Protein backbone atom coordinates (compact mmCIF):
# COMPACT_ATOMS: atom_id res chain seq x y z
CA UNK A 1 0.00 0.00 0.00
CA UNK A 2 2.83 2.37 0.88
CA UNK A 3 4.57 1.62 -2.41
CA UNK A 4 1.33 2.24 -4.32
CA UNK A 5 0.97 5.65 -2.69
CA UNK A 6 4.57 6.45 -3.64
CA UNK A 7 3.89 5.47 -7.27
CA UNK A 8 0.73 7.63 -7.38
CA UNK A 9 2.66 10.61 -5.95
CA UNK A 10 5.40 10.12 -8.54
CA UNK A 11 2.79 9.97 -11.32
CA UNK A 12 1.21 13.29 -10.30
CA UNK A 13 4.66 14.84 -9.90
CA UNK A 14 5.60 13.72 -13.42
CA UNK A 15 2.32 15.11 -14.79
CA UNK A 16 3.20 18.51 -13.31
CA UNK A 17 6.75 18.35 -14.69
CA UNK A 18 5.59 17.24 -18.15
CA UNK A 19 2.95 19.98 -18.15
CA UNK A 20 5.49 22.73 -17.50
CA UNK A 21 8.00 21.06 -19.82
CA UNK A 22 5.44 21.08 -22.62
CA UNK A 23 3.29 24.18 -22.21
CA UNK A 24 6.24 26.45 -21.52
CA UNK A 25 8.63 24.74 -23.91
CA UNK A 26 6.41 24.17 -26.94
CA UNK A 27 4.71 26.74 -29.13
CA UNK A 28 1.11 25.70 -28.64
CA UNK A 29 0.14 27.16 -32.03
CA UNK A 30 2.31 24.56 -33.77
CA UNK A 31 2.37 21.75 -31.20
CA UNK A 32 0.20 18.65 -31.00
CA UNK A 33 -0.22 15.82 -28.52
CA UNK A 34 2.58 13.68 -29.89
CA UNK A 35 5.03 16.55 -29.44
CA UNK A 36 4.63 16.10 -25.67
CA UNK A 37 6.31 12.69 -25.88
CA UNK A 38 9.09 14.03 -28.08
CA UNK A 39 9.62 16.95 -25.71
CA UNK A 40 10.79 14.60 -22.96
CA UNK A 41 13.53 13.22 -25.20
CA UNK A 42 16.11 14.70 -27.54
CA UNK A 43 18.11 17.40 -25.73
CA UNK A 44 15.75 16.96 -22.76
CA UNK A 45 17.31 13.58 -21.93
CA UNK A 46 20.04 15.07 -19.75
CA UNK A 47 17.98 17.73 -17.93
CA UNK A 48 14.66 15.88 -17.73
CA UNK A 49 14.77 12.08 -17.95
CA UNK A 50 18.19 11.56 -16.34
CA UNK A 51 17.61 13.72 -13.23
CA UNK A 52 14.14 12.22 -12.81
CA UNK A 53 15.42 8.65 -13.07
CA UNK A 54 18.35 9.36 -10.74
CA UNK A 55 16.24 10.99 -8.03
CA UNK A 56 13.23 8.66 -8.26
CA UNK A 57 15.57 5.68 -8.57
CA UNK A 58 17.02 6.63 -5.20
CA UNK A 59 13.52 6.35 -3.68
CA UNK A 60 13.21 2.76 -4.92
CA UNK A 61 16.80 1.78 -4.12
CA UNK A 62 17.40 3.47 -0.76
CA UNK A 63 16.37 0.35 1.18
CA UNK A 64 18.97 -1.72 -0.67
CA UNK A 65 21.66 0.63 0.61
CA UNK A 66 20.43 0.33 4.19
CA UNK A 67 22.93 -1.42 6.48
CA UNK A 68 20.18 -3.56 8.03
CA UNK A 69 19.33 -4.93 4.58
CA UNK A 70 22.95 -5.41 3.53
CA UNK A 71 23.93 -7.59 6.52
CA UNK A 72 21.24 -10.10 5.56
CA UNK A 73 22.93 -10.88 2.26
CA UNK A 74 25.28 -13.83 1.90
CA UNK A 75 27.94 -12.13 -0.20
CA UNK A 76 28.74 -9.00 -2.16
CA UNK A 77 27.55 -10.50 -5.46
CA UNK A 78 24.10 -11.07 -3.96
CA UNK A 79 23.96 -7.41 -2.87
CA UNK A 80 24.87 -6.23 -6.38
CA UNK A 81 22.33 -8.61 -7.93
CA UNK A 82 19.56 -7.25 -5.70
CA UNK A 83 20.53 -3.71 -6.68
CA UNK A 84 20.38 -4.67 -10.37
CA UNK A 85 16.95 -6.25 -9.99
CA UNK A 86 15.68 -3.12 -8.28
CA UNK A 87 17.17 -0.92 -11.00
CA UNK A 88 15.32 -2.82 -13.74
CA UNK A 89 12.17 -2.88 -11.61
CA UNK A 90 12.24 0.88 -11.01
CA UNK A 91 13.23 1.35 -14.66
CA UNK A 92 10.01 -0.03 -16.08
CA UNK A 93 7.93 1.70 -13.38
CA UNK A 94 9.46 5.12 -14.14
CA UNK A 95 9.17 4.49 -17.90
CA UNK A 96 5.49 3.55 -17.62
CA UNK A 97 4.69 6.50 -15.33
CA UNK A 98 6.49 8.93 -17.63
CA UNK A 99 4.59 7.55 -20.63
CA UNK A 100 1.29 7.77 -18.74
CA UNK A 101 1.97 11.35 -17.65
CA UNK A 102 2.85 12.34 -21.24
CA UNK A 103 -0.35 10.72 -22.45
CA UNK A 104 -2.33 12.63 -19.81
CA UNK A 105 -0.87 16.01 -20.82
CA UNK A 106 -1.10 15.20 -24.56
CA UNK A 107 -4.90 15.05 -24.23
CA UNK A 108 -4.90 18.76 -23.33
CA UNK A 109 -3.69 19.64 -26.83
CA UNK A 110 -6.84 18.27 -28.48
CA UNK A 111 -5.12 17.61 -31.82
CA UNK A 112 -2.90 14.59 -31.23
CA UNK A 113 -1.13 14.43 -34.61
CA UNK A 114 -0.32 17.17 -37.11
CA UNK A 115 3.14 16.26 -38.38
CA UNK A 116 1.58 16.01 -41.82
CA UNK A 117 0.93 19.77 -41.80
CA UNK A 118 3.25 22.69 -42.54
CA UNK A 119 1.99 24.40 -39.38
CA UNK A 120 3.57 21.75 -37.13
CA UNK A 121 6.68 21.68 -34.96
CA UNK A 122 7.87 18.74 -37.03
CA UNK A 123 7.86 20.91 -40.15
CA UNK A 124 9.47 23.85 -38.35
CA UNK A 125 12.38 21.71 -37.17
CA UNK A 126 12.86 19.35 -40.13
CA UNK A 127 11.47 21.46 -43.00
CA UNK A 128 9.38 18.50 -44.04
CA UNK A 129 6.15 16.71 -43.17
CA UNK A 130 5.39 13.12 -42.18
CA UNK A 131 2.15 11.95 -43.73
CA UNK A 132 2.08 8.65 -41.85
CA UNK A 133 3.47 7.56 -38.51
CA UNK A 134 2.98 4.06 -37.16
CA UNK A 135 1.68 5.00 -33.70
CA UNK A 136 2.27 1.54 -32.22
CA UNK A 137 5.87 1.61 -33.37
CA UNK A 138 6.29 5.15 -32.03
CA UNK A 139 5.03 4.06 -28.60
CA UNK A 140 7.30 1.03 -28.68
CA UNK A 141 10.31 3.18 -29.55
CA UNK A 142 9.41 5.70 -26.84
CA UNK A 143 9.07 3.03 -24.14
CA UNK A 144 12.25 1.17 -25.12
CA UNK A 145 14.46 4.25 -25.46
CA UNK A 146 13.14 5.80 -22.24
CA UNK A 147 13.73 2.52 -20.41
CA UNK A 148 17.32 2.43 -21.67
CA UNK A 149 17.94 6.06 -20.61
CA UNK A 150 16.51 5.39 -17.14
CA UNK A 151 18.32 2.11 -16.54
CA UNK A 152 21.69 3.32 -17.87
CA UNK A 153 21.59 6.52 -15.80
CA UNK A 154 20.65 4.57 -12.65
CA UNK A 155 23.31 1.96 -13.34
CA UNK A 156 25.95 4.64 -13.77
CA UNK A 157 24.99 6.19 -10.42
CA UNK A 158 25.14 2.81 -8.70
CA UNK A 159 28.49 1.86 -10.26
CA UNK A 160 30.06 5.12 -9.09
CA UNK A 161 28.55 4.66 -5.61
CA UNK A 162 29.63 1.01 -5.62
CA UNK A 163 33.28 1.94 -6.27
CA UNK A 164 33.56 5.22 -4.34
CA UNK A 165 30.98 4.87 -1.57
CA UNK A 166 29.59 8.32 -2.43
CA UNK A 167 26.04 8.26 -3.81
CA UNK A 168 25.78 12.05 -4.23
CA UNK A 169 28.92 11.98 -6.38
CA UNK A 170 27.31 9.29 -8.53
CA UNK A 171 24.22 11.45 -9.06
CA UNK A 172 26.17 14.61 -9.93
CA UNK A 173 28.65 12.82 -12.22
CA UNK A 174 25.84 11.02 -14.08
CA UNK A 175 23.80 14.17 -14.72
CA UNK A 176 26.92 16.12 -15.68
CA UNK A 177 28.22 13.36 -17.96
CA UNK A 178 24.95 13.11 -19.88
CA UNK A 179 24.93 16.91 -20.25
CA UNK A 180 28.46 16.93 -21.70
CA UNK A 181 27.87 13.96 -23.99
CA UNK A 182 24.64 15.25 -25.48
CA UNK A 183 26.07 18.73 -25.95
CA UNK A 184 28.98 17.19 -27.83
CA UNK A 185 26.69 15.11 -30.03
CA UNK A 186 27.22 11.56 -28.76
CA UNK A 187 25.86 9.40 -31.63
CA UNK A 188 23.88 7.13 -29.28
CA UNK A 189 21.92 10.04 -27.79
CA UNK A 190 21.57 11.80 -31.15
CA UNK A 191 20.34 8.73 -33.05
CA UNK A 192 18.10 7.05 -30.48
CA UNK A 193 14.71 7.84 -29.01
CA UNK A 194 11.78 9.43 -30.83
CA UNK A 195 13.10 12.95 -31.51
CA UNK A 196 12.03 14.56 -34.80
CA UNK A 197 15.25 13.85 -36.71
CA UNK A 198 14.86 10.11 -36.04
CA UNK A 199 11.88 9.96 -38.41
CA UNK A 200 13.59 11.73 -41.29
CA UNK A 201 16.17 8.98 -41.92
CA UNK A 202 16.40 5.18 -41.63
CA UNK A 203 16.26 4.14 -37.98
CA UNK A 204 19.59 2.85 -36.64
CA UNK A 205 19.07 -0.50 -34.91
CA UNK A 206 22.61 -0.25 -33.53
CA UNK A 207 22.07 3.02 -31.66
CA UNK A 208 18.46 2.30 -30.75
CA UNK A 209 18.93 -1.21 -29.38
CA UNK A 210 22.37 -2.83 -29.63
CA UNK A 211 24.58 -0.06 -28.21
CA UNK A 212 22.47 0.62 -25.09
CA UNK A 213 22.25 -3.12 -24.34
CA UNK A 214 26.04 -3.42 -24.65
CA UNK A 215 26.45 -0.38 -22.37
CA UNK A 216 24.15 -1.96 -19.77
CA UNK A 217 26.19 -5.18 -19.89
CA UNK A 218 29.44 -3.24 -19.40
CA UNK A 219 28.07 -1.29 -16.42
CA UNK A 220 26.77 -4.48 -14.81
CA UNK A 221 30.18 -6.07 -15.33
CA UNK A 222 31.92 -3.11 -13.66
CA UNK A 223 29.86 -3.78 -10.57
CA UNK A 224 30.78 -7.45 -10.49
CA UNK A 225 34.48 -6.56 -10.78
CA UNK A 226 34.31 -4.98 -7.33
CA UNK A 227 35.29 -7.94 -5.13
CA UNK A 228 35.31 -6.13 -1.80
CA UNK A 229 33.03 -3.42 -0.48
CA UNK A 230 32.96 -1.69 2.91
CA UNK A 231 29.38 -0.73 3.82
CA UNK A 232 30.09 0.39 7.38
Amino acid sequence: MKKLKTIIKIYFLLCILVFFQSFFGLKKKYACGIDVFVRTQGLAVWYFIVPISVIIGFVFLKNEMNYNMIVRKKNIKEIWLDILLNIFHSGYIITFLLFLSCETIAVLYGNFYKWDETTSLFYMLTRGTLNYLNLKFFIFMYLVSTFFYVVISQLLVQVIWWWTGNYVMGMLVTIGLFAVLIRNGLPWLMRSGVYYDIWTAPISNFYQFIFPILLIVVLIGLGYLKRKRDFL
Side-chain angles (χ1 to χ4, degrees):
M1 190 65 180
K2 184 178 180 181
K3 189 171 184 179
L4 179 60
K5 290 181 179 179
T6 300
I7 290 176
I8 293 174
K9 290 178 181 178
I10 292 173
Y11 164 67
F12 282 110
L13 174 62
L14 288 175
C15 282
I16 294 172
L17 293 174
V18 171
F19 175 82
F20 282 99
Q21 169 83 348
S22 301
F23 275 78
F24 291 96
L26 296 173
K27 295 181 179 180
K28 200 170 188 302
K29 178 182 178 181
Y30 303 101
C32 59
I34 203 168
D35 291 312
V36 176
F37 295 88
V38 180
R39 180 67 184 172
T40 61
Q41 292 196 354
L43 290 176
V45 168
W46 77 267
Y47 69 80
F48 190 76
I49 290 182
V50 171
I52 285 173
S53 65
V54 167
I55 295 170
I56 296 178
F58 175 74
V59 174
F60 288 108
L61 291 166
K62 61 182 180 180
N63 288 333
E64 292 301 315
M65 293 177 271
N66 186 293
Y67 174 73
N68 293 325
M69 293 293 293
I70 289 172
V71 295
R72 299 178 185 179
K73 311 299 181 183
K74 295 179 181 179
N75 52 58
I76 195 168
K77 287 185 178 181
E78 185 178 345
I79 298 171
W80 182 242
L81 179 60
D82 284 347
I83 289 174
L84 293 177
L85 292 176
N86 276 277
I87 286 175
F88 284 100
H89 179 67
S90 67
Y92 73 73
I93 290 177
I94 294 173
T95 299
F96 174 75
L97 291 178
L98 187 57
F99 171 79
L100 193 61
S101 61
C102 286
E103 190 173 32
T104 301
I105 303 304
V107 174
L108 300 178
Y109 279 84
N111 190 347
F112 184 77
Y113 185 80
K114 57 185 295 185
W115 287 4
D116 55 346
E117 302 176 11
T118 56
T119 56
S120 64
L121 281 177
F122 186 89
Y123 181 81
M124 289 178 62
L125 294 170
T126 66
R127 307 314 299 174
T129 58
L130 192 64
N131 293 325
Y132 173 75
L133 176 68
N134 188 325
L135 188 57
K136 291 182 179 179
F137 185 65
F138 177 89
I139 293 173
F140 170 75
M141 292 282 282
Y142 181 86
L143 292 173
V144 170
S145 56
T146 301
F147 178 78
F148 283 146
Y149 297 145
V150 171
V151 169
I152 289 172
S153 58
Q154 286 192 19
L155 269 174
L156 187 56
V157 173
Q158 293 300 319
V159 167
I160 295 172
W161 166 73
W162 193 245
W163 281 84
T164 67
N166 192 323
Y167 193 86
V168 175
M169 180 189 293
M171 295 173 69
L172 295 176
V173 169
T174 298
I175 295 174
L177 182 61
F178 268 86
V180 171
L181 292 177
I182 202 166
R183 289 298 180 184
N184 285 277
L186 182 70
W188 167 50
L189 294 173
M190 295 294 103
R191 300 183 63 184
S192 64
V194 295
Y195 201 64
Y196 302 102
D197 292 341
I198 298 297
W199 309 102
T200 61
I203 291 174
S204 171
N205 290 323
F206 177 78
Y207 288 114
Q208 287 281 12
F209 307 108
I210 300 174
F211 182 81
I213 290 174
L214 290 175
L215 189 54
I216 289 172
V217 172
V218 169
L219 290 172
I220 291 174
L222 288 175
Y224 277 114
L225 287 176
K226 184 70 173 177
R227 302 287 182 175
K228 297 180 180 180
R229 180 76 166 83
D230 184 9
F231 294 97
L232 297 178

